[in-house]
Amino acid sequence: MLKKLVFICLFVPAFVFAQSKGEGGNYKAGIGFRAGYNPGLTFKYMMSSDAALEGIMQWRYRGFSVTGLYEIHKTAFGEPQLKWFYGIGGHVGFYGRGEGYGSRRGYAYDDSRPSIGIDGILGLEYVIQEIPFTVGLDFKPYIDIFYPGWGVFDGALSVRYIF
């Protein structure tokens, strides 16, 4: 079931937008991996040259979460291939049984727990049109509003195939 969910959420949109690659540091969509505190998969859809929607599926705390972000992109240092971005969104997660992140603060749980929260993001992204890939570095703090109720500073290196 989880494999089907990953396929539907990440790979189907890639096929839909496959013919819409942009020029000069712009692209229409990208799909790839995030390597960081909470690793996962990422899909970004550029709605315009300066606005994007990003979906992230991460594995953490013996479970997973799905994050949706609205991002604003701006040219950095006068280079059209280098963009800095910031944004806001939210996440829904399901954490597994046992001791996880919360056990360091004295929390342990005996069953699966859902979590809902607010996310922010700030980062840099470099577009390599010739390959075609992007490489990005971001800082993504989030706060769990509904169980377990913690805030965490997340960051990652992302690599995406663009089209």
Side-chain angles (χ1 to χ4, degrees):
M1 180 65 174
L2 182 59
K3 289 180 183 178
K4 289 180 184 178
L5 179 64
V6 169
F7 181 80
I8 290 169
C9 291
L10 296 172
F11 294 106
V12 171
F15 295 119
V16 172
F17 299 110
Q19 300 301 318
S20 57
K21 186 167 78 169
E23 299 296 328
N26 293 323
Y27 61 95
K28 199 63 176 168
I31 187 167
F33 298 98
R34 279 176 61 88
Y37 184 69
N38 295 314
L41 302 172
T42 173
F43 176 78
K44 187 179 282 193
Y45 172 69
M46 298 298 294
M47 300 184 320
S48 67
S49 63
D50 63 351
L53 295 175
E54 183 173 2
I56 301 170
M57 189 162 130
Q58 296 176 301
W59 295 271
R60 61 182 181 186
Y61 317 138
R62 297 182 186 176
F64 72 95
S65 69
V66 177
T67 303
L69 297 160
Y70 176 78
E71 300 171 352
I72 303 295
H73 287 241
K74 302 289 182 185
T75 301
F77 309 111
E79 295 291 329
Q81 290 88 0
L82 184 62
K83 306 281 185 176
W84 71 277
F85 60 92
Y86 59 93
I88 192 165
H91 69 270
V92 175
F94 298 92
Y95 306 129
R97 294 188 166 128
E99 296 180 8
Y101 173 77
S103 65
R104 290 188 282 171
R105 294 188 179 162
Y107 297 101
Y109 36 90
D110 296 328
D111 56 355
S112 296
R113 300 286 182 161
S115 175
I116 299 172
I118 299 172
D119 296 64
I121 193 163
L122 174 66
L124 279 171
E125 180 177 75
Y126 187 76
V127 179
I128 309 168
Q129 289 284 348
E130 296 81 19
I131 298 180
F133 278 91
T134 65
V135 177
L137 188 61
D138 66 63
F139 171 67
K140 190 179 78 60
Y142 63 90
I143 297 172
D144 288 334
I145 296 172
F146 176 75
Y147 191 90
W150 303 311
V152 176
F153 296 106
D154 187 13
L157 173 69
S158 296
V159 176
R160 286 186 203 90
Y161 170 74
I162 59 173
F163 38 93

